[in-house]
Amino acid sequence: KVLVVDDSVTISTQIKEILEKLLLKVTIVEDGVKALEILNQEENFSLILSDYEMPNLNGLELTRKIRSLNYYKNSPVIIITNSNQNDLKIEFYKHGANDIILKPILQEELISKVINIFLNLKQIQEIKTFNHLIDKNVITSTTNTRGKIISVSEAFCEISGYTKEELVGKTHQIIRHPDTPELFYKKMWDILLSGKDWKGEIKNIDKNGRDYWVQAIIKPVYKNNEIIGFTSLRTNITDKKYIEHLSI
């Protein structure tokens, strides 16, 4: 179960729709006061996402109060904010936030953060079941620093038309669309090798020669402060691009 705290119906509905794709049960409340009421009554939320700017009790104050509740003192909290100021980020972490996500919310980024948090939660008893759900429903891949694929999800295989055996050990060149210029990938690699996340849309081609589009977020993976590979999370946006093309 996930508790979403946001006074914006639009944003809370967006978050709910994204998280329900992971088969999570989402409860929405519009401010921090009501959130505390629910948290004091129920002890079965595995994650709390809270907006920062809210009436009555903002996300910073809510996080501090959550940490005073015995059952939720170690439960993960993600803060949603418009601000990218470092001073404010430090305050969030000082008051107990586990992570921060900036508006406008990017679906791939939210899913990535939630998956990472859940995979590290000790109270998740059926971690194999959760991993299976991710494998079936989320287009993910990991590579080494040379771009060779180490692992892919079943969802990646389904959209690309290749089996895991055909993909592992190869690079993403196998699905690279000939329309995409070399400069596109050079800029992507420059960003990733600098240690930053890359976000954007990619045109691919599947095993049968069909075009498809994904919205992707690619993140460096670190060990001992060194980049050892990259992980990507993608969403199929082929229908969206097709509609955009028709409207031109």
Side-chain angles (χ1 to χ4, degrees), residues 162-214:
Y162 291 95
T163 65
K164 290 187 179 183
E165 291 74 19
E166 290 173 315
L167 291 166
V168 172
K170 305 292 195 306
T171 69
H172 284 82
Q173 183 83 18
I174 194 172
I175 55 170
R176 177 175 171 178
H177 199 283
D179 288 353
T180 308
E182 186 70 34
L183 184 60
F184 175 88
Y185 289 101
K186 182 182 183 304
K187 289 180 178 178
M188 175 195 292
W189 275 104
D190 286 345
I191 291 171
L192 290 171
L193 292 173
S194 73
K196 298 177 183 176
D197 297 353
W198 183 90
K199 303 172 187 177
E201 298 178 349
I202 305 174
K203 186 178 183 181
N204 291 141
I205 187 167
D206 71 13
K207 187 177 180 179
N208 296 312
R210 293 186 294 255
D211 300 348
Y212 69 94
W213 283 85
V214 293

Side-chain angles (χ1 to χ4, degrees), residues 224-236:
N224 298 327
N225 295 321
E226 290 188 9
I227 296 175
I228 60 169
F230 304 93
T231 180
S232 74
L233 189 147
R234 303 160 189 242
T235 301
N236 186 357

